C-alpha cells in the first residue's frame, strides 16, 4: 500500500517489446514498442492522470474521476472508453473504438466518437478527423500495419521499432515513396518482402542493417 500510494510509477518498453498493464483503477493499458507511461502518486485516489510518450491502447473504467492522458501534442480526457493514442516526433493520432474522448491542445479542442480518428500535430480541428475503416483498430494489437499512401520513411521507422533493427536508404528520395496495403508485422523477413513488393524496390541485409 505504501509503495502504490506514495511512489511515482514509470513503465517503459524498448524497441521490439510490448507491455500490458492493469492500472490502479483497474483500467488496462497496452504499450506499443518504444513507449512509456508515467503517473504520480495518488493515481485513482486524487487523480487519474498519466503521461504517455509513444503509443498505447487504453480500456478505461467508467469512474467519477476523469481519466486524462497527457502527451507532447495534446491532452485526452475520458470517463470510460477504449481508444488508442500515438504521440511521436512524426505526428499525433487518437482513435476511438467505444465511448467518447475530448482532445485538446492550446486553443484547439475536438470530441471524438466511436470509429473516429484524429490525425495531426499541435493544431487540429474537425477537418482533421477521419473515419476508422479498419475492422480491428489499432492494427499493431493484431500485428498488422495499415498503410494508406504512407511514405516509406514512416513505414521503415515503424519496422525499426517493432523488430529493433536498423534500416537506411541508398537514395534519400526513396523516403517519399508512398505505399498502400496491409502488412503482417509478426515476421521481419515477411514484412521486408511485403515492403519491397509494395514499393517496387529491393533490399539487402549487411552487418545487421537493411539497405
Amino acid at each position: 500500500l505504501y509503495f502504490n500510494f506514495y511512489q511515482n510509477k514509470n513503465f517503459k518498453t524498448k524497441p521490439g517489446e510490448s507491455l500490458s498493464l492493469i492500472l490502479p483503477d483497474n483500467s488496462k493499458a497496452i504499450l506499443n514498442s518504444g513507449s512509456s507511461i508515467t503517473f504520480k502518486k495518488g493515481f485513482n485516489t486524487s487523480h487519474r492522470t498519466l503521461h504517455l510518450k509513444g503509443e498505447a491502447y487504453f480500456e478505461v473504467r467508467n469512474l467519477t474521476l476523469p481519466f486524462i492522458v497527457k502527451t507532447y501534442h495534446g491532452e485526452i480526457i475520458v470517463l470510460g472508453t477504449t481508444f488508442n493514442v500515438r504521440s511521436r516526433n512524426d505526428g499525433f493520432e487518437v482513435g476511438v473504438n467505444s465511448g467518447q474522448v475530448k482532445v485538446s491542445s492550446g486553443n484547439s479542442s475536438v470530441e471524438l466518437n466511436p470509429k473516429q480518428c484524429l490525425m495531426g500535430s499541435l493544431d487540429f480541428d474537425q477537418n482533421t478527423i477521419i473515419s476508422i475503416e479498419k475492422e480491428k483498430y489499432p492494427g499493431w494489437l493484431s500485428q498488422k500495419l495499415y498503410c494508406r499512401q504512407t511514405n516509406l520513411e514512416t513505414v521503415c521507422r515503424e519496422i525499426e521499432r517493432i523488430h529493433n533493427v536498423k534500416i537506411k536508404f541508398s537514395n534519400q528520395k526513396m523516403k517519399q515513396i508512398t505505399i498502400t496495403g496491409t502488412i503482417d508485422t509478426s515476421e521481419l523477413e515477411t514484412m521486408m518482402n511485403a515492403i519491397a513488393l509494395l514499393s517496387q524496390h529491393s533490399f539487402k541485409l549487411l552487418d545487421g542493417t537493411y539497405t
Side-chain angles (χ1 to χ4, degrees):
L1 287 174
Y2 177 88
F3 182 81
N4 286 335
F5 187 80
Y6 290 101
Q7 301 296 319
N8 297 340
K9 295 292 185 68
N10 178 264
F11 301 93
K12 187 175 183 179
T13 56
K14 299 177 182 178
E17 293 181 342
S18 63
L19 179 65
S20 182
L21 302 170
I22 300 297
L23 301 173
D25 64 343
N26 285 325
S27 294
K28 185 177 182 180
I30 306 174
L31 270 69
N32 201 351
S33 60
S35 304
S36 68
I37 280 179
T38 304
F39 54 86
K40 295 182 179 180
K41 63 183 180 181
F43 189 95
N44 197 40
T45 303
S46 58
H47 71 92
R48 286 203 297 168
T49 300
L50 56 80
H51 295 259
L52 169 69
K53 292 181 180 180
E55 185 170 17
Y57 183 76
F58 296 92
E59 297 177 2
V60 177
R61 290 194 64 199
N62 190 356
L63 300 173
T64 302
L65 288 172
F67 190 97
I68 301 172
V69 180
K70 292 189 174 184
T71 75
Y72 169 79
H73 293 93
E75 181 177 286
I76 301 94
I77 302 176
V78 304
L79 283 178
T81 183
T82 57
F83 63 103
N84 188 71
V85 181
R86 180 182 184 275
S87 179
R88 298 193 188 277
N89 293 334
D90 58 359
F92 182 50
E93 175 182 328
V94 181
V96 179
N97 282 338
S98 66
Q100 186 182 60
V101 308
K102 180 180 180 180
V103 187
S104 59
S105 175
N107 296 323
S108 303
S109 180
V110 297
E111 290 187 355
L112 299 176
N113 296 310
K115 296 301 178 183
Q116 287 188 329
C117 181
L118 166 70
M119 302 186 72
S121 54
L122 292 177
D123 296 315
F124 46 79
D125 53 32
Q126 293 294 328
N127 294 324
T128 57
I129 297 176
I130 62 174
S131 297
I132 296 176
E133 300 175 354
K134 316 172 188 70
E135 289 185 8
K136 293 184 178 181
Y137 175 87
W140 64 269
L141 286 179
S142 54
Q143 296 185 305
K144 295 289 188 296
L145 181 61
Y146 297 105
C147 302
R148 184 171 60 179
Q149 291 297 304
T150 307
N151 67 62
L152 198 56
E153 182 179 23
T154 299
V155 174
C156 288
R157 296 295 82 82
E158 287 299 315
I159 296 174
E160 289 181 327
R161 274 191 287 271
I162 293 169
H163 290 288
N164 194 22
V165 296
K166 293 295 182 182
I167 301 174
K168 67 178 183 179
F169 295 89
S170 59
N171 185 333
Q172 296 303 304
K173 292 182 180 180
M174 292 172 57
K175 293 181 177 181
Q176 301 309 314
I177 294 173
T178 59
I179 61 176
T180 298
T182 301
I183 302 170
D184 189 322
T185 65
S186 58
E187 296 291 338
L188 176 59
E189 197 69 17
T190 300
M191 195 175 187
M192 293 300 297
N193 286 329
I195 296 297
L197 178 64
L198 291 171
S199 66
Q200 297 184 346
H201 284 73
S202 60
F203 66 88
K204 65 179 180 180
L205 176 63
L206 182 64
D207 295 330
T209 298
Y210 287 92
T211 303

